[in-house]
Amino acid sequence: MADSTQGLTVKKSQDISEWYTQVIQKAELADYTDVSGCMIFRPRVFAIWEKLTAFFDAEIKKMGVQNTYFPLFIPEKLLTKEAEHVEGFAPEVAWVTHGGHTPLGERLAIRPTSETIMYDAFSKWIQSYRDLPLKINQWVNVVRWEFKHPVPFLRGREFLWQEGHTAFADKKDAEKEVLDILELYRRVFEELLAVPVIKGRKSENEKFAGADYSTSVETLTPSGKAVQAATSHHLGQRFAKSFNINFLDENGKKAHPYQNSWGFSTRSIGAMILFHGDDKGIIIPPRVAPLHCVIVPIMFDDSKEKVVKKCHEIAKIIEKTGTSVLVDDRDHYTPGWKFNEHELKGVCLRLEVGPKDLEKGHAVVVRRDLGKKTFVPFGELAEYIPKELERMQHDLFKNAQKFIAENNVKAENWRDFAKAIEERKLIYAPWCCTAECAEHIKSATEGAKCLTLPFDQPQPKGKCVKCDKPATAIALFAKSY
Ligand code: 87F
């Protein structure tokens, strides 16, 4: 078998970055290519992505959102139309300049996000209040030419995401959607990936420059670095004005719609991997797992046939409960070798069935995250397995919440703040929320920044944790990917 299926040579607690790099390749989740920052998403990871997209896609369709596809190439003139929004991003735009040997008349940007190309079309599609709300989504790849060193899933040059773009006659309706979508993102992370997130509003200097305001869900991963998990922006009428999107309202008066944009990406999978894995490999929460259950027959020459037959019978019964099952009856590997492989790859449950178990009428069930053996009578498997998977889902989330609870601190003064950053904590601190103070904090800590102003927060009092200005919010800080 390939090298990639051999075990990890580093403990998660020793060197989580090296562990992450190893586990991604050895568990066959992703592979590198010759282009730095551009990775192959192998079947085991793509299956996770499909589970996430299936959930989110169904939920946004209930909200009346329709899927579309807009072109990958964005003419330079369009991209720079809303100057303020691209300014800060310009260094990350990848360009197509030639068709074959012929220089193009106008360079084409490779989609870094689709506001500009979509809103150009919206200006044609929206004429009357009857055309609103307009709710469009697309599931696509985007390219951002990052120069920081890439981290699989978490920081790359090409990734997959959904981007939702909507337009409303009423500001109130648009603002409600911002929060409805944010709640869906919370559910993707907490209910599917078992990753706890904190909802909040971005500070002025961290918001999307094209937005009136940005909301996000954020988390601190066990590497001690935070990730912005997803964002939901209220764009107000800013893009409508620069892209000339108008409609006649019910009274025949011309008005600009209120717009939102929102997205989450394959970066979500990186957070999941960091949270749940252990020294044996990855652990995938059951609700997104490509394979729930592997049955390993313990094979001896005289009983092999009977045992394997029983394993396939059990598989059929378990499959009927909506659980994915594989009977691993390859006979050129020992059971122990198979156990290691399936642990490395994060199969949720392992069933062992040998001749003795056949006599006793039970299977040995081992949960990936606990590693403890439970003897379950064959007749009870159909009931036991789905329940155990739900318990596992629940326990993974509880453990992840425990990590967050143990790794967040309140800092009221700079000394505590600096110490907490050294310790890679998530910090709640009173803050003045100014751009210049954000810069000071960033340089004094080698990169820590305000992740968000959590929705859930007490009235700030006293001084900013860094400068002498009065605090206007309790802000969340950490170093991040
Ligand atoms: C990189 C190059 C050019 C981020 C960029 O968050 C433009 C951009 O506009 C850019 N990187 N952004 C912000 C994206 C905003 C917004 N788009 C829809 C989202 C969610 C999905």
Side-chain angles (χ1 to χ4, degrees):
M1 221 339 140
D3 285 345
S4 62
T5 55
Q6 286 170 2
L8 304 171
T9 61
V10 65
K11 284 190 158 52
K12 191 182 179 192
S13 57
Q14 267 167 0
D15 182 350
I16 191 165
S17 307
E18 174 59 20
W19 173 88
Y20 184 75
T21 308
Q22 285 196 12
V23 91
I24 279 168
Q25 282 205 288
K26 295 192 173 188
E28 297 173 359
L29 300 174
D31 214 340
Y32 298 97
T33 67
D34 288 344
V35 183
S36 168
C38 296
M39 304 188 317
I40 302 160
F41 292 72
R42 300 186 66 176
R44 197 166 287 106
V45 136
F46 207 84
I48 298 173
W49 182 237
E50 284 177 325
K51 295 258 165 65
L52 300 179
T53 64
F55 169 81
F56 191 79
D57 200 62
E59 290 299 322
I60 59 176
K61 279 177 180 151
K62 289 184 205 161
M63 295 169 66
V65 178
Q66 294 176 306
N67 281 329
T68 55
Y69 182 77
F70 280 71
L72 174 65
F73 301 120
I74 305 179
E76 179 160 24
K77 262 202 298 304
L78 260 190
L79 192 75
T80 49
K81 207 160 175 174
E82 218 285 322
E84 198 181 330
H85 117 264
V86 262
E87 216 177 64
F89 298 121
E92 288 182 8
V93 178
W95 296 98
V96 175
T97 56
H98 286 73
H101 300 301
T102 316
L104 302 182
E106 182 183 12
R107 338 189 255 173
L108 302 172
I110 301 175
R111 149 177 79 219
T113 181
S114 303
E115 273 80 0
T116 55
I117 193 163
M118 284 201 181
Y119 303 164
D120 188 50
F122 283 15
S123 72
K124 290 180 265 178
W125 298 348
I126 298 172
Q127 305 291 336
S128 147
Y129 70 92
R130 291 187 194 87
D131 301 325
L132 297 173
L134 178 64
K135 303 183 185 182
I136 294 297
N137 179 66
Q138 64 178 6
W139 293 98
V140 293
N141 58 336
V142 281
V143 169
R144 294 183 185 169
W145 215 255
E146 291 259 6
F147 289 92
K148 286 196 209 148
H149 92 100
V151 182
F153 304 112
L154 295 165
R155 196 163 55 216
R157 288 177 169 170
E158 181 182 11
F159 53 88
L160 304 179
W161 76 350
Q162 61 65 223
E163 49 178 319
H165 296 266
T166 56
F168 296 82
D170 288 317
K171 185 176 165 77
K172 266 201 336 282
D173 294 342
E175 293 198 277
K176 177 178 182 303
E177 189 204 59
V178 169
L179 296 181
D180 288 347
I181 293 290
L182 199 65
E183 172 60 11
L184 280 186
Y185 290 143
R186 183 198 67 76
R187 291 183 61 196
V188 167
F189 281 88
E190 297 198 336
E191 296 177 7
L192 299 184
L193 296 167
V195 167
V197 290
I198 297 158
K199 283 184 183 178
R201 182 171 164 146
K202 288 278 182 183
S203 62
E204 275 305 299
N205 60 305
E206 290 291 341
K207 75 167 192 189
F208 169 35
D212 269 13
Y213 60 87
S214 299
T215 69
S216 69
V217 284
E218 309 275 341
T219 194
L220 179 77
T221 70
S223 70
K225 280 190 177 185
V227 277
Q228 173 179 287
T231 48
S232 179
H233 312 281
H234 178 56
L235 308 176
Q237 294 173 308
R238 188 189 307 245
F239 279 97
K241 285 175 186 160
S242 42
F243 282 83
N244 216 5
I245 312 175
N246 304 294
F247 69 99
L248 292 181
D249 70 14
E250 288 177 55
N251 306 313
K253 252 183 60 198
K254 209 167 143 178
H256 291 301
Y258 293 88
Q259 292 179 262
N260 297 332
S261 76
W262 29 272
F264 90 101
S265 74
T266 40
R267 147 178 262 227
S268 53
I269 295 170
M272 179 210 84
I273 296 166
L274 281 169
F275 260 100
H276 304 303
D278 62 15
D279 294 344
K280 295 179 186 165
I282 59 164
I283 297 177
I284 310 178
R287 288 188 198 150
V288 294
L291 183 59
H292 292 128
C293 200
V294 61
I295 307 180
V296 180
I298 312 298
M299 300 188 280
F300 298 96
D301 285 345
D302 55 344
S303 54
K304 179 177 160 184
E305 209 174 309
K306 258 195 331 208
V307 167
V308 171
K309 187 162 158 264
K310 185 69 186 175
C311 289
H312 284 282
E313 277 171 32
I314 296 170
K316 279 223 181 69
I317 294 166
I318 296 173
E319 233 160 32
K320 287 212 184 84
T321 67
T323 307
S324 52
V325 197
L326 172 81
V327 178
D328 186 354
D329 55 8
R330 294 174 294 175
D331 49 17
H332 52 300
Y333 291 118
T334 64
W337 197 96
K338 294 176 188 176
F339 296 172
N340 290 341
E341 180 181 17
H342 297 300
E343 281 170 352
L344 175 61
K345 292 179 177 173
V347 182
C348 305
L349 298 175
R350 175 175 85 232
L351 270 66
E352 304 165 17
V353 179
K356 289 225 179 70
D357 303 304
L358 226 56
E359 273 167 31
K360 292 184 181 147
H362 67 205
V364 180
V365 181
V366 182
R367 213 169 94 176
R368 171 64 184 84
D369 56 329
L370 301 179
K372 205 177 80 218
K373 291 187 174 195
T374 306
F375 299 92
V376 182
F378 293 137
E380 291 171 23
L381 283 170
E383 204 196 320
Y384 180 87
I385 289 200
K387 280 197 183 140
E388 191 61 13
L389 289 169
E390 265 311 294
R391 283 191 286 266
M392 176 173 169
Q393 180 82 34
H394 187 257
D395 288 352
L396 290 178
F397 183 58
K398 283 272 164 266
N399 285 340
Q401 277 185 312
K402 190 165 160 258
F403 171 80
I404 298 288
E406 288 168 356
N407 285 282
N408 78 83
V409 297
K410 294 191 176 64
E412 307 261 317
N413 58 60
W414 185 249
R415 198 191 314 145
D416 292 352
F417 187 101
K419 178 166 166 276
I421 287 292
E422 284 283 302
E423 292 168 351
R424 303 191 148 226
K425 302 282 185 194
L426 191 58
I427 307 171
Y428 288 89
W431 190 39
C432 65
C433 302
T434 66
E436 54 168 334
C437 188
E439 269 313 311
H440 290 150
I441 292 174
K442 199 172 267 178
S443 53
T445 54
E446 287 170 40
K449 67 174 190 190
C450 171
L451 309 173
T452 189
L453 310 172
F455 287 154
D456 190 8
Q457 64 166 294
Q459 201 49 42
K461 24 181 213 286
K463 280 196 312 195
C464 169
V465 73
K466 176 75 177 130
C467 63
D468 282 338
K469 289 192 279 293
T472 56
I474 302 296
L476 195 62
F477 287 91
K479 288 197 178 176
S480 55
Y481 279 103

